[in-house]
Amino acid sequence: MVVPVIDFSKLDGNEREKTLAEIANGCEQWGFFQLVNHGISVELLERVKKVSSECFKLEREERFKDSSTVKLLNKLVDSEDQKTRLDDVDWEDVFILQDDNQWPSNPPQFKETMKEYRAELKKLAEKIMEVMDENLGLEEGYIKKAFSGGVDDEGIELHRPFFGTKVSHYPPCPSPDIVNGLRAHTDAGGVILLFQDDKVGGLQVLKDGRWIDVQPLANAIVINTGDQIEVLSNGRYKSAWHRVLARADGNRRSIASFYNPSFNATIAPAVKLITGEMKGEEEAARIAYPKFLFRDYMTVYTQQKFLAKEPRFQAVGAR
């Protein structure tokens, strides 16, 4: 099995219906797909690669070597314990970019390049959500409005959706058999857009009980759906379990951007997807997920990220 690869540019041509169907299949059957010809220039992507790699070398590499994760692994290897695994840590260097937090200062081009990149990714995320709206039979802009907590009388968003970018590197690991690159999980939020390393693999998605490699593909953007898209679609789209394997060779770069609801947004299955021709008890039985504040969901998620997702929905529904 191969993770679907979709030419996003064909949405604007005579293959629009076919492309819409391919995206629907990626959301329904995989929760993961790769976009090519997505509208973000290769020149910008090359700059993102360059500044991210330089940032790791200049500001992050030595810090990672002195991290608790490295120390724990070294201690375990020195003990010659061949049975124990480090199952509660990740072999990952990571920092988050938001509009209002502190960004790395090196290299000097980092901030300008990543600001431009984030703006392009945010626009792409909103285009993808519009496609999801269309495929699900929802009104245009439904998902964005839901993530904003709705709009006022003048059509202005009540809250700003969250948009963050996680810049990760997975350095070569001396013992990749006893530690994870990133533990298996689903993503808490909405639409995730990943610019992954085009040479060093390691990302895998769980499909039909098997771990499938998300193949490195130059200049593609990997899309995956988070837990909130699963809820809004009433389970038609599923958030997919995924993980990153530690590797003995290569320094894997991974830049994931998250278009999530505002913490103040109320999330629930779209009414149109649960009403249809059903009435009364039949309609209630079709509602597969509770209504909740995204803020409350994140409280549960931070405690249960690497555990089964179904109890998270149950827990937040009981609040």
Side-chain angles (χ1 to χ4, degrees):
M1 287 190 286
V2 178
V3 175
V5 178
I6 301 170
D7 186 339
F8 201 58
S9 68
K10 291 185 177 180
L11 276 177
D12 298 324
N14 56 14
E15 294 186 49
R16 177 176 176 79
E17 292 304 317
K18 177 184 175 183
T19 307
L20 285 171
E22 289 174 346
I23 294 172
N25 176 72
C27 293
E28 293 176 9
Q29 301 300 320
W30 285 84
F32 259 77
F33 53 94
Q34 301 207 57
L35 290 185
V36 296
N37 297 322
H38 39 62
I40 301 173
S41 73
V42 172
E43 183 273 335
L44 175 56
L45 294 176
E46 288 296 328
R47 282 192 282 129
V48 169
K49 291 181 194 177
K50 185 174 186 293
V51 298
S52 299
S53 296
E54 290 178 354
C55 179
F56 177 76
K57 291 176 183 176
L58 292 169
E59 293 200 7
R60 310 291 304 184
E61 188 169 22
E62 291 305 315
R63 190 181 310 177
F64 180 76
K65 290 177 182 178
D66 194 43
S67 67
S68 59
T69 300
V70 173
K71 291 176 180 177
L72 281 171
L73 182 63
N74 290 339
K75 183 178 179 180
L76 182 58
V77 171
D78 290 342
S79 72
E80 299 184 353
D81 181 347
Q82 298 182 356
K83 295 182 179 179
T84 303
R85 279 182 50 87
L86 293 177
D87 287 327
D88 57 351
V89 298
D90 303 306
W91 190 263
E92 177 190 32
D93 175 76
V94 58
F95 60 92
I96 305 295
L97 303 177
Q98 298 173 219
D99 289 339
D100 57 356
N101 70 338
Q102 186 173 353
W103 291 24
S105 56
N106 288 306
Q109 305 87 355
F110 182 88
K111 187 170 185 178
E112 178 185 354
T113 299
M114 295 305 292
K115 183 177 180 180
E116 180 182 353
Y117 172 74
R118 277 169 45 81
E120 292 297 314
L121 260 288
K122 189 174 184 180
K123 288 188 288 186
L124 178 59
E126 291 176 348
K127 289 178 183 177
I128 292 166
M129 291 191 296
E130 289 175 0
V131 171
M132 290 179 176
D133 290 334
E134 184 173 351
N135 276 335
L136 290 168
L138 302 173
E139 65 182 73
E140 183 178 348
Y142 181 92
I143 295 175
K144 184 180 179 183
K145 288 177 185 176
F147 282 9
S148 306
V151 295
D152 63 17
D153 293 339
E154 297 179 354
I156 299 173
E157 297 173 353
L158 295 177
H159 307 285
R160 288 177 57 191
F162 173 86
F163 189 73
T165 299
K166 175 187 169 189
V167 181
S168 301
H169 281 83
Y170 301 90
C173 179
S175 302
D177 54 324
I178 59 174
V179 67
N180 301 286
L182 179 60
R183 285 163 282 174
H185 64 287
T186 65
D187 289 320
V191 176
I192 298 85
L193 306 93
L194 170 67
F195 182 34
Q196 70 165 342
D197 201 293
D198 54 13
K199 293 188 174 72
V200 184
L203 175 62
Q204 295 184 323
V205 58
L206 189 63
K207 167 69 171 166
D208 299 332
R210 293 172 52 196
W211 286 105
I212 307 297
D213 292 332
V214 182
Q215 64 274 23
L217 184 60
N219 302 316
I221 300 294
V222 181
I223 308 299
N224 72 281
T225 48
D227 294 346
Q228 307 315 302
I229 293 294
E230 179 169 332
V231 174
L232 283 171
S233 70
N234 200 38
R236 186 165 157 186
Y237 295 169
K238 297 290 189 181
S239 58
W241 284 88
H242 53 286
R243 68 183 184 184
V244 177
L245 301 179
R247 295 174 55 112
D249 59 329
N251 183 16
R252 174 182 165 80
R253 179 191 63 255
S254 172
I255 305 169
S257 296
F258 299 79
Y259 197 112
N260 291 352
S262 160
F263 271 23
N264 296 311
T266 298
I267 303 299
V271 173
K272 189 172 183 179
L273 300 180
I274 57 176
T275 53
E277 301 300 321
M278 300 292 183
K279 300 296 179 184
E281 293 181 1
E282 288 182 324
E283 179 179 317
R286 291 185 62 181
I287 304 174
Y289 300 85
K291 177 189 289 188
F292 52 81
L293 270 180
F294 183 59
R295 179 189 307 277
D296 291 340
Y297 186 81
M298 286 305 299
T299 298
V300 174
Y301 181 85
T302 54
Q303 299 168 345
Q304 302 181 19
K305 176 177 179 178
F306 302 109
L307 304 177
K309 62 182 172 181
E310 290 77 13
R312 299 199 293 259
F313 296 133
Q314 295 168 5
V316 75
R319 284 173 170 256

